[in-house]
Amino acid sequence: VLESHSVVLSCDFKPSPKTVEWYKDHAIIEPSERFKPKRDKNTAELKILRLNIGDSGVYKCKAGNAETKAKLSVLDRKVEITKHLQDTEIEEEGCAIFTCELSEDNEEVEWFLNDTHLYPNNFNEIKSVGKCHSLTLKHVMPEDAGTVTVKVQKRFSESARLKVKEKPAV
């Protein structure tokens, strides 16, 4: 199964057991935001959301003396930047727009200006739609000049230069 996808493990019992426990590599799995066990008469299911590499392992469904196992292998998604950031030069107080496109949908990206982590606010607009990601810097001043960086999945990054032309003093 690919990283960031979901999987459902299920097992059937006859007769219906009183309790069912799920284990990963001998450790009991507690219900959480990502691990969702479900019971329905003779069937037990474990839904695992937003898989990551660390979820690989042997899963066991146990009811009394009865148990069954399955090996889950989570494959690393090879995400690449398919449309790269471009150096940008704008006039003071203008808007600078940086965009990139990734090979996969719904990837987590972070934006930085001169190593400062950027968040959406009155000066920064951050958008992600499918594979496309953009940063709009509003009311840019000469001191904002430098390097804009997009970091993908906290794994790799790409940078572009921001140049700001000062308005002539009148």
Side-chain angles (χ1 to χ4, degrees), residues 27-149:
I28 195 159
I29 296 172
E30 299 293 341
S32 69
E33 283 292 308
R34 291 185 46 241
F35 292 87
K36 310 264 187 204
K38 185 175 145 189
R39 279 288 306 278
D40 183 25
K41 289 187 184 167
N42 297 339
T43 304
E45 286 185 351
L46 176 65
K47 188 173 197 175
I48 309 171
L49 307 174
R50 296 182 306 282
L51 288 165
N52 60 57
I53 300 297
D55 293 326
S56 294
V58 176
Y59 286 80
K60 179 167 64 175
C61 178
K62 186 173 181 185
N65 294 333
E67 66 179 51
T68 184
K69 295 178 187 172
K71 184 177 181 185
L72 177 66
S73 298
V74 180
L75 305 175
D76 194 3
R77 292 198 326 163
K78 298 290 182 222
V79 179
E80 298 171 318
I81 296 175
T82 54
K83 184 178 170 211
H84 299 275
L85 294 179
Q86 301 294 315
D87 291 346
T88 303
E89 185 173 356
I90 60 152
E91 288 204 5
E92 182 177 349
E93 295 180 6
C95 288
I97 300 171
F98 292 87
T99 61
C100 71
E101 193 170 301
L102 304 177
S103 59
E104 299 284 340
D105 277 349
N106 303 318
E107 289 302 323
E108 187 179 309
V109 304
E110 297 173 303
W111 291 93
F112 297 84
L113 175 59
N114 297 324
D115 297 325
T116 299
H117 195 179
L118 300 176
Y119 297 94
N121 59 30
N122 292 342
F123 302 103
N124 310 317
E125 186 176 284
I126 295 173
K127 286 186 184 171
S128 293
V129 179
K131 298 176 182 181
C132 298
H133 301 271
S134 68
L135 166 68
T136 303
L137 301 172
K138 303 172 185 175
H139 309 293
V140 176
M141 301 308 281
E143 55 269 23
D144 295 323
T147 305
V148 170
T149 303

